[in-house]
Amino acid sequence: MTISSQHNERFDYLDAARAFALLLGIIFHASISFLPIFIGWAVMDISTSSTVSIFMMISHSFRLELFFLLAGFFSHMTFHRDDVPGFLQSRLVRIAIPFVIGWFLLRPLLVSGWIMGAESMRGKVNILNALRAGFATLGDLPKDLLVGTHLWFLYYLLLISLSIVLMHSIFHMHKSTEQKIVQFAENTMHWLCSSRLAIFAVAIPTAACLWFMNHWGMDTPDKSLVPHIPVTIIYSGFFIFGWLLQRQTNLLENFTRLSWGKFALCLLAIVAANLLARFEIKFAHPHYQLIKTGFVFSYAIMMWSLVSLTIGLFKHFLNRPSKTVRYLADSSYWLYLIHLPIVIWLQIAFAELPLHWSIKLVAICAITIALSLVLYDVLVRSTVIGMVLNGKRKPRVR
C-alpha cells in the first residue's frame, strides 16, 4: 500500500505515520505475553509488568484509528483518480486477496501457536504435532471461515470501502441531495479542523460508541464476520474523516497542528483513562456509571488527540524524502500481515527464560521485524506478491 498522490508526489510523513501505525501493532502483540494477568493469550511469560498494561491501553486506543484515517485519505485519492471501477479493483487486489489468502496461510500457524503455548505451560512442546493440528483445523471449514486471525481489520476496511461506494452511487442519482450533503460535510470539516474545541466535538460521538463496547476501550472484533456495530462506527468515522480531509487538504494541516495545549490535553486524557480503567470490574461501586462515562470520554479524547499529534509529529520531523522511510513504508503492510505467528512462536520460546521482560520484548520485536524484512526483500518486494501489496514490483535491496 504505497502512499502517493495522484500526481505521483509521495507524502513522506504520511508514509512514515502509516508505517508507524502498523509497526506499533507488532509491538502491541509482542507485549501481550508480558501482561501481569492472563487474558487467554497463547502464552504468559514468567516476567510481567503493569507498565505493559499501560502501554497496551494507550497504543490500542489509536494505532488502528490512525491507520483507518490514512486509509480513508488515500482511498479518496484513488477514488477520485480511478473512479468506481478502478477503486473497486484496487480494493479487491490490495485488501480482499491478502485477507482471504492470508487467512488460509496464517490461521493454521496461529492455531499451532496456541497449542504450543498450552503445551509450554505444562513443560513440553511438540512443534510438529502442533503444526499438524493447526492445519487439520482447515478440515472443519466452512465453520469459522475467515474468522480468528489479526486480519480482521482488512475485513472491516473492505466493508467500509464498499459502503462508501454504495452511498456515493445512491447520492449520485440525486444530484441536489448529493450537493447539499457534500456542502454540509465540507462546512463541518472546516469547523472541526479550525476550532479549538474540535477534539471535544469528535470525542462525544466516539465516547457514545465506546459505551457499548463489550469491554472498556476498543473491542477486537475477530470472533465473527458479523460486523461489531460500535467498532464499525468508530473505524468508519475515522475513515470518512480521512476521506473528507483529502477533499480539502489544507484542513489536514489544521487538524495536525502541534500545540502545547493539545499535548497537555492528551496527557491529561491518558492519565484519566488509566486511573479510571481500574474500576472496570467494580460493578458494585456506587458511582460506576459516572466513572464509566468519565472513562469513555477520556479514552475518546486520548484516541483523537494521539492520532492528530502523531501525524503532526511525523510531518514536523519526517516531511522529506528518505529511502529508509520509503522502504519501511512499502514493507510495513507485509510486516503486519506476516508478523503474528512469528511473534507467538518467539513468545513461547522466550517465556521461561530468566530475563527481564523488557529485554525479551525488544528481542522478540527485533527478531520478528528483521526476519519479516528479509522475507519481504527476498520473496515479496520484486515479485507478484509485492505488486499486490504495493501496487507494483520494486527492486530488491542487495
Side-chain angles (χ1 to χ4, degrees), residues 325-351:
V325 170
R326 289 186 177 184
Y327 187 89
L328 285 174
D330 291 338
S331 64
S332 61
Y333 189 20
W334 163 260
L335 264 61
Y336 193 79
L337 292 179
I338 199 69
H339 81 277
L340 194 54
I342 303 173
V343 163
I344 291 174
W345 284 38
L346 288 172
Q347 286 174 328
I348 294 169
F350 278 85

Side-chain angles (χ1 to χ4, degrees), residues 320-384:
R320 61 184 182 276
S322 168
K323 291 183 179 180
T324 301
V325 170
R326 289 186 177 184
Y327 187 89
L328 285 174
D330 291 338
S331 64
S332 61
Y333 189 20
W334 163 260
L335 264 61
Y336 193 79
L337 292 179
I338 199 69
H339 81 277
L340 194 54
I342 303 173
V343 163
I344 291 174
W345 284 38
L346 288 172
Q347 286 174 328
I348 294 169
F350 278 85
E352 300 295 326
L353 296 181
L355 298 172
H356 191 267
W357 68 268
S358 60
I359 298 174
K360 296 183 185 182
L361 176 58
V362 170
I364 291 171
C365 293
I367 295 172
T368 299
I369 293 172
L371 180 58
S372 301
L373 281 173
V374 170
L375 292 174
Y376 171 76
D377 201 63
V378 174
L379 302 177
V380 176
R381 186 169 172 85
S382 61
T383 69
V384 66

